[in-house]
Amino acid sequence: MKLNKIKQEVFSCLSKSSNKRGEILVENVLFIVLNIIFISILIFFLFKQGSGAILLEQTYSKQIALMIDSAKPVMEIKLNMEKAREIAEENKMDFGEAVSITGNVVNVKLSQKGGHEYSFFNDVKVEAFPEKNEQNEYTGIYIFTINKNEGGK
Amino acid sequence: MKNKIKRINKRGAEKILSIYWFAILIIIAGAIVAMVSLFYGTPYDVRETEANIMINQVSDCLSDNGKLAQELFNETKNFNENFNLKEECNFVFETEFKNERGEYFLEVDFYDLDNEKIFSISEGNSNLYADCKIEDDKYKRLSKCVEREFYSLSPLSDKNVFKIKITSVIRKTEKNVK
């Protein structure tokens, strides 16, 4: 009888201590997992901010406007817009319509709601179109042709 | 009994510590989000580059191979008062979008070697020129002014040397400054 009691007590003590150890481990694992999730969200946020459509629209519109400003007729300029193509495809936009030039205003649109426009002062006629490969796919390069503005303002 | 209390205290302290740890993480995350939003929310200011490009275009148009353009002079070998800077240098200062009016100002001053101004031509919104004179940092962001100068010979005589000072002012505040 006594022996049985002792056995029971020892067993209950052992199971209690093993439970405690288990709790500590679960707490630590949960803590580490939460930390990893937190850092991952932070890194994802940073990358998302750095390659967002709004930022790229602004960058490309200004870059194109400055490029046209320093160009002279007759020139053909190729601009690598691979990042813009990726973003446009993500947002289900046609890359062929990402850049439009009306008068002396460059408009870059990579999302349905977005779009950024910037004006240039060089009085030239500019045409912009995307480059395509043999499979009729966009290569991510935009071609700008600069000609004399015959109409002239 | 004492050991039990110690253990309970230790676990309690650990819990408090982890709450503080998460509070610190949230504060750090908040600070990073605020800094990143501020950094990416501010537009790129390209006006200085733009003004420099404009000056390059003007100098290319006024001077060729170190000599001033013939069009700058009239039949009487004086400076041509009717010289149209905008047309001759292929500039278009008007834009057809969103309230953008008079965003540019361009001034070209010609000096002799005694540093005396002998001729001046300007184009665009002359009101912007006043912004260049403001030294207060609070208002400095209104317009961007760039001044550059170069020397050139007269096309009529190699003995005449002129100092040409080009001032380019660009506003476009809405697109470049928050």
Side-chain angles (χ1 to χ4, degrees):
Chain A
M1 226 12 211
K2 265 190 176 177
L3 194 73
N4 276 344
K5 247 188 176 180
I6 291 163
K7 269 184 183 175
Q8 271 180 349
E9 272 179 17
V10 169
F11 181 74
S12 67
C13 267
L14 274 173
S15 63
K16 265 185 188 173
S17 64
S18 67
N19 273 345
K20 269 181 193 168
R21 274 182 196 169
E23 266 176 38
I24 291 163
L25 191 70
V26 169
E27 273 176 17
N28 284 335
V29 169
L30 198 73
F31 188 71
I32 291 164
V33 168
L34 283 173
N35 277 324
I36 290 168
I37 291 170
F38 171 80
I39 291 164
S40 310
I41 291 170
L42 212 63
I43 290 168
F44 177 75
F45 168 77
L46 288 177
F47 275 99
K48 198 83 185 155
Q49 283 286 312
S51 61
I54 299 168
L55 194 75
L56 280 181
E57 280 168 354
Q58 192 208 143
T59 315
Y60 279 121
S61 63
K62 287 182 177 176
Q63 194 179 353
I64 293 165
L66 294 182
M67 200 176 72
I68 295 168
D69 278 337
S70 42
K72 278 182 181 151
V74 180
M75 270 190 184
E76 187 183 272
I77 301 168
K78 285 185 178 182
L79 180 68
N80 188 353
M81 292 180 69
E82 185 59 40
K83 278 184 187 172
R85 189 183 64 88
E86 283 168 17
I87 298 284
E89 278 171 8
E90 265 177 36
N91 293 328
K92 290 169 187 168
M93 290 278 297
D94 181 16
F95 181 60
E97 290 166 12
V99 180
S100 60
I101 295 165
T102 332
N104 62 333
V105 177
V106 180
N107 191 357
V108 178
K109 194 173 161 72
L110 301 175
S111 57
Q112 300 287 347
K113 287 180 184 172
H116 191 274
E117 44 190 21
Y118 203 76
S119 62
F120 53 89
F121 55 75
N122 203 0
D123 193 9
V124 286
K125 188 182 167 196
V126 190
E127 276 173 60
F129 51 91
E131 191 184 66
K132 284 183 178 178
N133 61 15
E134 287 164 358
Q135 284 83 43
N136 209 29
E137 289 167 340
Y138 295 121
T139 56
I141 287 170
Y142 242 89
I143 301 170
F144 297 88
T145 56
I146 321 282
N147 287 301
K148 267 191 176 180
N149 199 354
E150 299 297 339
K153 283 194 176 180
Chain B
M1 189 69 178
K2 265 188 180 178
N3 276 345
K4 210 176 176 183
I5 292 165
K6 263 187 186 176
R7 242 182 260 161
I8 290 165
N9 279 344
K10 203 182 168 192
R11 290 190 69 190
E14 271 174 10
K15 274 187 182 172
I16 291 166
L17 197 70
S18 64
I19 290 167
Y20 273 117
W21 176 246
F22 277 104
I24 289 165
L25 284 186
I26 288 164
I27 291 166
I28 292 169
I32 290 174
V33 168
M35 281 190 289
V36 170
S37 306
L38 201 73
F39 180 75
Y40 286 119
T42 312
Y44 291 123
D45 194 350
V46 294
R47 292 176 299 170
E48 201 172 327
T49 316
E50 210 174 344
N52 274 307
I53 292 172
M54 190 182 267
I55 291 173
N56 287 348
Q57 296 281 56
V58 174
S59 56
D60 280 352
C61 138
L62 293 183
S63 170
D64 186 34
N65 284 329
K67 283 189 176 181
L68 288 174
Q70 281 281 1
E71 293 78 29
L72 271 168
F73 298 88
N74 56 22
E75 293 85 21
T76 53
K77 296 183 180 180
N78 289 318
F79 276 101
N80 182 5
E81 298 282 344
N82 300 320
F83 185 84
N84 192 329
L85 193 63
K86 222 162 76 173
E87 265 178 32
E88 295 290 337
C89 299
N90 265 335
F91 287 134
V92 52
F93 286 171
E94 298 81 24
T95 41
E96 293 161 5
F97 82 105
K98 285 176 197 166
N99 307 323
E100 207 176 87
R101 296 278 178 276
E103 300 289 303
Y104 304 98
F105 176 68
L106 196 57
E107 189 181 60
V108 185
D109 297 322
F110 295 82
Y111 295 87
D112 61 13
L113 284 181
D114 298 326
N115 223 13
E116 254 181 60
K117 196 198 274 191
I118 44 174
F119 184 59
S120 179
I121 33 175
S122 64
E123 203 66 64
N125 183 1
S126 56
N127 294 328
L128 298 181
Y129 193 67
D131 293 346
C132 303
K133 306 292 172 196
I134 297 173
E135 283 176 7
D136 190 348
D137 281 345
K138 198 179 167 187
Y139 300 102
K140 249 185 177 176
R141 66 196 197 114
L142 288 174
S143 306
K144 210 80 177 175
C145 310
V146 177
E147 258 183 30
R148 275 161 66 193
E149 46 192 47
F150 68 98
Y151 290 86
S152 190
L153 292 168
S154 162
L156 311 168
S157 152
D158 280 354
K159 285 175 186 170
N160 280 346
V161 182
F162 299 104
K163 185 177 94 175
I164 297 110
K165 190 177 96 180
I166 306 170
T167 310
S168 170
V169 188
I170 293 175
R171 202 180 79 88
K172 288 188 176 178
T173 314
E174 292 81 10
K175 295 275 175 190
N176 290 283
V177 188
K178 200 176 183 181

